Amino acid sequence: MQIHVVGRGESLWQIARNYGADLNQIILANELQNPNMLVVGQSLVIPELNREYVVQAGDNLWAIANRFGVSAEELAAVNNISNPALIFVGDMLELPYSNHLVQAGETLWTIARNYGVTVNRIQQANNITNPSFIYPGQTLRIPAALKPITEINAYSTQINEQGGQEVLTVGRHLTYLSPFMYSITADGSITEMQEYPLLEASRATNTSPLLVITNFQEGGFNSDLAAAILRNPDLQDTLITNILEEIRTKGYTGLNIDFEYVYPEDRENYNNFLRRVVGRLHPEGLSVSTALAPKETGEQEGLLYEAHDYAAQGEIVDFIILMTYEWGWAGGRPRAIAPINKVRDVLDYAITVIPRNKIVMGIPLYGRDWEIPWVEGTLARTISPQEAVELAGRYGVAIQYDNTSQAPFFRYVDEEGQGHEVWFEDARSMQAKYDTMKEYGLRGGSYWVLGNPFPQNWPVLQDNFRVRKW
């Protein structure tokens, strides 16, 4: 897979020809509604012939495997497909092997180096006993290059059938699914949630569901509610018992705790609560994770930050999701949602106090549309990356790219003469985030939130990592 940025005057036909790619495969992979209307600055994922295949209407896994001379089992394994029936139009599959026609002067070592695989793997794939004995005109099967393994979590607020269908579609790319959310109550109980479509889809895609608890109440995170629990060990025991009952009943594999705006004086109470939770859940084989605010120093002030003890929680829980997004929040000035320079500032601090193999980097799957000039007290509209590109096309404006934040943006004027500024994510910005995950050696990434159409993300993720399944 390659990423192409549309230039002025380019057509999709020209782009496909330049890459030696299949036009229809590009259309499917990017879910282009109108292939004749490209936007200058728009990024496209370009599937590579002979290495990747985008599912078309009428396809099934067995027919695709047969077409490329591999077994359905091999094709399923390399793509984390647990149920062969769960492939979908537009889904880009990686092929277990590509073909290489040996040229004069080539050796097995040079071929292996060019494809990023070992000589031994090529030998095994082609039953070659003597690596010196290859010849021009011979066709070799080249195994797909090995990729770093990562864990991917996704939060979902759509607990209905539509949300379940999305998990069926993208679940092979997920390690964990976190239906959002159960709220704690002042008596140690938790609210109810009818998230059965999500849980069924997680089982169908071999995705581990995490039960999410928060101190969210009446439209916001409630500091007093958190304090009521964190200052009372008896209520904590009641809460943990109720959580365990829900986990057992619904088949969750772990717990994710998202307590926000906790009073600073409850910092150690929060740590002790987590120790109590781990002591109850670990013996049952259940994981415990937390979601923490994006801090750049241990002394960062503010109600959102002070009670989130990176060092202590890094010791106590199995992993930590850093909420590295919302710099461009709905009530603030227009800016990138997750500027990579700010994300890196958070990671630079986090890795000094949390083991890297416990850090999961938050990644947004959405954008925002602000009215400009910006007026304090106004709220931006949250949009999907797909909708952002459609907006740029509708108003005939080019998409720009900010290299500091590694994020695309554009400005337009609507029919009423109102100016707008839009920041969102595209294939380039996601590549920058995945590069950062690899550079810092992190455990993985966590999406906020499913439900925003962003077809380019999944091929880019797949091109960078193999996602772990438990």
Side-chain angles (χ1 to χ4, degrees):
M1 184 221 79
Q2 295 175 279
I3 297 173
H4 177 80
V5 180
V6 176
R8 195 167 301 278
E10 282 191 318
S11 70
L12 198 60
W13 179 83
Q14 291 172 316
I15 294 168
R17 185 186 61 180
N18 290 342
Y19 283 92
D22 182 282
L23 179 68
N24 190 52
Q25 293 269 292
I26 297 174
I27 294 170
L28 288 170
N30 294 277
E31 292 186 16
L32 299 177
Q33 302 302 312
N34 184 355
N36 295 317
M37 190 184 78
L38 298 180
V39 178
V40 174
Q42 174 183 2
S43 68
L44 299 171
V45 295
I46 311 295
E48 292 188 51
L49 284 175
N50 201 33
R51 301 183 71 175
E52 294 153 337
Y53 177 76
V54 183
V55 178
Q56 305 181 73
D59 277 339
N60 62 61
L61 197 68
W62 293 271
I64 296 170
N66 184 62
R67 175 176 177 175
F68 290 99
V70 300
S71 71
E73 291 75 18
E74 287 175 313
L75 187 58
V78 79
N79 289 285
N80 272 353
I81 297 172
S82 54
N83 181 346
L86 292 179
I87 64 170
F88 301 88
V89 173
D91 200 4
M92 192 173 83
L93 303 180
E94 181 180 6
L95 302 177
Y97 305 97
S98 58
N99 293 325
H100 176 81
L101 187 66
V102 179
Q103 304 296 311
E106 285 188 321
T107 68
L108 213 53
W109 289 271
T110 59
I111 295 169
R113 184 181 61 207
N114 289 339
Y115 283 94
V117 299
T118 64
V119 169
N120 188 54
R121 290 187 68 212
I122 297 178
Q123 285 184 257
Q124 291 177 346
N126 294 276
N127 295 318
I128 296 173
T129 56
N130 184 351
S132 299
F133 188 66
I134 63 170
Y135 53 87
Q138 180 181 6
T139 298
L140 296 177
R141 283 169 33 118
I142 310 296
L146 298 178
K147 302 169 188 171
I149 296 173
T150 196
E151 294 186 3
I152 296 291
N153 173 63
Y155 289 100
S156 177
T157 57
Q158 288 186 303
I159 63 173
N160 54 17
E161 294 295 336
Q162 183 179 350
Q165 183 59 44
E166 182 175 17
V167 174
L168 287 177
T169 304
V170 304
R172 70 184 183 89
H173 301 290
L174 306 177
T175 310
Y176 309 104
L177 174 69
S178 298
F180 198 83
M181 53 153 184
Y182 286 86
S183 293
I184 62 173
T185 64
D187 64 0
S189 60
I190 58 176
T191 56
E192 295 183 356
M193 184 163 56
Q194 303 300 318
E195 73 277 39
Y196 298 104
L198 293 184
L199 296 177
E200 290 172 4
S202 71
R203 283 190 287 271
T205 56
N206 191 29
T207 303
S208 301
L210 303 179
L211 187 147
V212 181
I213 62 165
T214 75
N215 59 318
F216 197 87
Q217 186 181 66
E218 296 179 354
F221 287 92
N222 190 307
S223 307
D224 292 328
L225 179 59
I229 296 296
L230 297 178
R231 298 174 187 179
N232 189 323
D234 291 336
L235 279 178
Q236 291 174 33
D237 286 336
T238 299
L239 175 61
I240 297 168
T241 297
N242 287 326
I243 290 169
L244 275 169
E245 182 179 350
E246 195 73 8
I247 284 176
R248 294 174 186 137
T249 298
K250 292 187 174 177
Y252 280 99
T253 62
L255 175 68
N256 178 249
I257 301 171
D258 180 15
F259 284 3
E260 301 186 31
Y261 296 96
V262 176
Y263 288 125
E265 55 265 35
D266 286 318
R267 179 184 174 105
E268 193 55 35
N269 291 334
Y270 191 9
N271 293 338
N272 288 330
F273 169 65
L274 293 175
R275 294 184 180 100
R276 193 181 300 261
V277 170
V278 167
R280 294 277 301 275
L281 269 64
H282 271 187
E284 300 207 22
L286 300 167
S287 68
V288 179
S289 58
T290 55
L292 297 185
K295 298 173 64 167
E296 297 180 14
T297 69
E299 294 74 39
Q300 191 159 335
E301 296 181 350
L303 185 59
L304 180 62
Y305 307 102
E306 293 179 49
H308 283 185
D309 188 336
Y310 274 33
Q313 293 200 22
E315 292 179 0
I316 298 166
V317 302
D318 297 297
F319 61 89
I320 288 171
I321 295 171
L322 299 180
M323 294 183 283
T324 42
Y325 36 73
E326 286 295 281
W327 278 273
W329 65 292
R333 295 179 181 276
R335 66 181 301 188
I337 310 297
I340 203 67
N341 55 316
K342 300 302 293 181
V343 171
R344 293 173 67 94
D345 287 344
V346 173
L347 293 176
D348 285 340
Y349 164 62
I351 60 174
T352 66
V353 290
I354 304 173
R356 294 173 192 251
N357 64 359
K358 286 190 174 186
I359 298 175
V360 177
M361 188 180 91
I363 302 172
L365 294 182
Y366 58 95
R368 290 221 163 92
D369 181 344
W370 285 265
E371 292 186 353
I372 55 173
W374 179 75
V375 177
E376 189 169 356
T378 60
L379 292 176
R381 183 170 67 95
T382 300
I383 60 175
S384 73
Q386 198 82 330
E387 185 180 357
V389 175
E390 291 168 1
L391 273 174
R394 183 188 314 162
Y395 290 100
V397 297
I399 295 170
Q400 302 176 65
Y401 195 78
D402 183 79
N403 288 314
T404 300
S405 62
Q406 287 290 305
F409 71 100
F410 60 90
R411 299 181 184 93
Y412 71 94
V413 178
D414 66 23
E415 291 81 356
E416 283 73 42
Q418 174 65 55
H420 293 254
E421 184 168 325
V422 176
W423 289 83
F424 64 107
E425 303 293 337
D426 70 0
R428 292 168 293 177
S429 68
M430 299 308 282
Q431 182 62 57
K433 291 171 176 60
Y434 298 141
D435 285 341
T436 300
M437 286 167 54
K438 287 185 282 190
E439 178 185 345
Y440 281 80
L442 306 182
R443 182 187 185 105
S446 176
Y447 297 130
W448 181 269
V449 56
L450 296 182
N452 300 292
F454 190 10
Q456 295 174 334
N457 173 60
W458 310 107
V460 178
L461 171 65
Q462 180 174 274
D463 194 57
N464 282 273
F465 298 107
R466 180 171 177 83
V467 174
R468 176 177 284 120
K469 291 286 189 177
W470 291 111

